């Protein structure tokens, strides 16, 4: 599987990384003939990329350490060793970053940026063999045992119960916290396997069974937001009494950090495309009948499809059907995912997606992301800096701030684009401004026509000084999203205005 990047492991202090609040990463310029598509061709060419002529070996730690140069670079990811020498010139983050992984177990390094990458497929032609030593035990997920103080979550650990009627089997999860209006439940029923995940801030609670009896394909999910209860209802295929739910599977009843939970994909169907601008459209994807996915605000999903017989993955932040959508029922919200996608004519993935017919299949993995509603606790002024499709995480955040957080007195969006025709949901933003006194938007164009009366240019200290008001006795949060160069500039200039690390959040997909 190839992944349209975020970039792998930027070095601290390098030009590819800004300080912690920003976490922005820039790609390096690749040589001609070294695109993702070229890597696909190389892996399918029959060339020996391992240097072992197809033989798999067991690699000791001592042997791994010997292969630590640019032309002889082996690395280990989750117990499997790969010769990545041939990938050096194809690596979007540059060879210097990849060499950091040379001769070592780079699992943690890899996970810091994009643990979601299906490296097994991407590097399958580079596989040398298996490590002779045991995998890093820190990577092995454990179900918390009674009395454990793992992650200091004992007192806040969710619990579950189940009950049945003649026709249904019901699972109730008590999250022990209020649930936001956007929800937290991710349910997947595939054949006889049930997976129920609760996304609770930075934590993930998972139930996972192979069911003891057959059920119908559909699932019903009800959420009691104020008391933190989620009920999942399955419909029995045969009205018989169950003596047990079934066989617990891997990581059942585990409560761990979201970043340590593996990605799960489900196959969706493209049901509609809606044009937003001349080069951007909203795709509506219908989840399978056995899936119900509530994507928390600020989280992204991973879209996966096959291009030239190779899986390609890219992260996207879902949007609602409209900016202030209120027409969907909770069932509809869990059954459909809307993705706002800009089509790049020279891209590998987006032209392929744009040409897909209605009814085509696309896989969605996740949700994932670091944003939690704790960031909004006691915030009175929410400032959003977005460039281009960096607007997508801001869209649902605007809705959330105006609908659920009366403590936020003002939400201001500064939206950067090249031309007026590039502004996403322009009329909806303008309409929201007229209806909601707590919301303001200002557009900035870098290539405006002469008649444009709004702000012009790029992000700079003067524009931010005007936007980022700091009344006394107030609490602020500045959210940033856009291309890497924009993000880096934005974070640096916001810091120069004396905003702290805790007052800045960068969305990354």
């Amino acid at each position: 599987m190839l992944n349209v990047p975020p970039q792998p492991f930027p070095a601290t202090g390098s030009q590819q990384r800004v300080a912690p609040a920003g976490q922005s990463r820039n790609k390096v310029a690749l040589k001609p003939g070294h695109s993702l598509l070229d890597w696909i061709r190389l892996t399918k060419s029959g060339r020996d990329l391992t240097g072992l002529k197809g033989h798999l070996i067991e690699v000791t730690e001592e042997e791994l350490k010997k292969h630590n140069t640019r032309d002889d670079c082996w690395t280990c990811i989750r117990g499997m060793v790969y010769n990545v020498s041939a990938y050096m010139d194809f690596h979007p983050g540059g060879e210097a970053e990849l060499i950091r992984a040379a001769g070592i177990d780079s699992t943690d390094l890899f996970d810091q940026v994009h643990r979601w990458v299906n490296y097994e497929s991407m590097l399958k032609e580079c596989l040398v063999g298996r490590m002779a030593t045991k995998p890093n035990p820190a990577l092995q997920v454990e179900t918390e045992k009674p009395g454990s103080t793992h992650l200091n979550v004992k007192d806040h650990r969710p619990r579950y119960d189940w009950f049945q009627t003649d026709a249904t089997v019901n699972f109730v999860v008590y999250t022990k916290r209020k649930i936001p209006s956007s929800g937290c439940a991710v349910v997947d029923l595939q054949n006889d396997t049930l997976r129920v995940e609760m996304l609770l801030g930075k934590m993930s609670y998972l139930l996972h069974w192979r069911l003891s009896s057959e059920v119908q394909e559909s699932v019903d999910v009800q959420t009691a937001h104020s008391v933190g209860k989620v009920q999942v209802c399955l419909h029995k295929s045969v009205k018989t009494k169950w003596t047990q739910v079934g066989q617990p599977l891997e990581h059942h009843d585990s409560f761990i950090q979201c970043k340590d939970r593996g990605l799960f994909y489900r196959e969706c169907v493209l049901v509609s495309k809606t044009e937003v601008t001349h080069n951007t459209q909203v795709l509506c994807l219908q989840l399978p009948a056995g899936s119900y996915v509530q994507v928390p605000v600020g989280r992204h999903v991973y879209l996966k499809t096959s291009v030239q017989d190779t899986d390609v993955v890219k992260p996207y932040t879902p949007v609602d059907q409209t900016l202030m959508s209120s027409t969907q029922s909770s069932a509809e919200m869990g059954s459909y995912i809307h993705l706002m996608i800009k089509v790049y004519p020279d891209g590998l993935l987006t032209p392929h997606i744009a040409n897909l017919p209605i009814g085509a299949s696309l896989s969605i993995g996740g949700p994932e992301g670091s944003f939690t509603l704790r960031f909004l606790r006691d915030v009175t002024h929410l400032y959003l800096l977005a460039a281009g499709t960096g607007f997508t995480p801001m869209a649902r955040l605007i809705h959330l701030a105006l609908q659920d957080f009366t403590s936020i007195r003002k939400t201001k969006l500064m939206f950067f684009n090249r031309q007026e025709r590039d502004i996403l949901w322009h009329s909806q933003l303008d309409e929201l401004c007229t209806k909601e006194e707590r919301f303001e938007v200002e557009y900035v164009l870098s290539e405006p026509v002469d008649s444009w009366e709004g702000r012009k240019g790029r992000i700079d200290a003067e524009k931010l000084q005007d936007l980022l008001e700091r009344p006394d006795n107030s609490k602020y949060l500045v959210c940033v999203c856009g291309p890497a160069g924009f993000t880096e500039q934005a974070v640096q200039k916001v810091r120069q205005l004396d905003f702290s690390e805790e007052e800045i959040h960068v969305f990354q997909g």
Side-chain angles (χ1 to χ4, degrees), residues 380-381 409 470-476:
T380 60
H381 289 70
R409 300 197 294 267
R470 306 183 74 174
D472 293 337
N473 301 317
S474 299
K475 184 176 179 181
Y476 324 96

Side-chain angles (χ1 to χ4, degrees), residues 144-163:
E144 188 175 349
K145 299 178 177 63
S148 169
T149 57
H150 179 57
L151 295 178
N152 297 318
V153 295
K154 177 183 177 182
D155 295 336
H156 297 91
R157 193 178 196 279
R159 65 179 183 86
Y160 77 94
D161 200 355
W162 74 283
F163 67 92

Side-chain angles (χ1 to χ4, degrees), residues 383 412 414 442 455 460-469 497:
Y383 299 118
K412 291 186 177 182
M414 185 169 277
E442 189 165 16
R455 283 189 181 265
D460 56 42
E462 181 182 355
K463 293 182 181 69
L464 294 184
Q465 186 77 54
D466 294 340
L467 175 76
L468 304 176
E469 298 175 328
L497 295 175

Side-chain angles (χ1 to χ4, degrees), residues 446-467:
S446 60
E447 300 177 9
V449 297
D450 292 340
S451 59
W452 174 255
E453 297 180 353
R455 283 189 181 265
K456 305 173 184 179
R458 300 182 183 277
I459 191 166
D460 56 42
E462 181 182 355
K463 293 182 181 69
L464 294 184
Q465 186 77 54
D466 294 340
L467 175 76

Side-chain angles (χ1 to χ4, degrees), residues 11 51 97 100 137 177 205 233 263 292 335 350 359 369 440 442 506:
E97 301 298 335
R100 294 181 63 214
R177 66 213 74 197
Y205 179 64
C233 177
L263 273 183
Y292 182 94
S335 301
T350 56
E440 295 178 12
E442 189 165 16
V506 175

Side-chain angles (χ1 to χ4, degrees), residues 361-374:
S361 295
L362 293 161
S363 292
I364 292 291
E368 196 171 76
S370 62
F371 186 83
T372 77
L373 297 191
R374 290 188 176 184

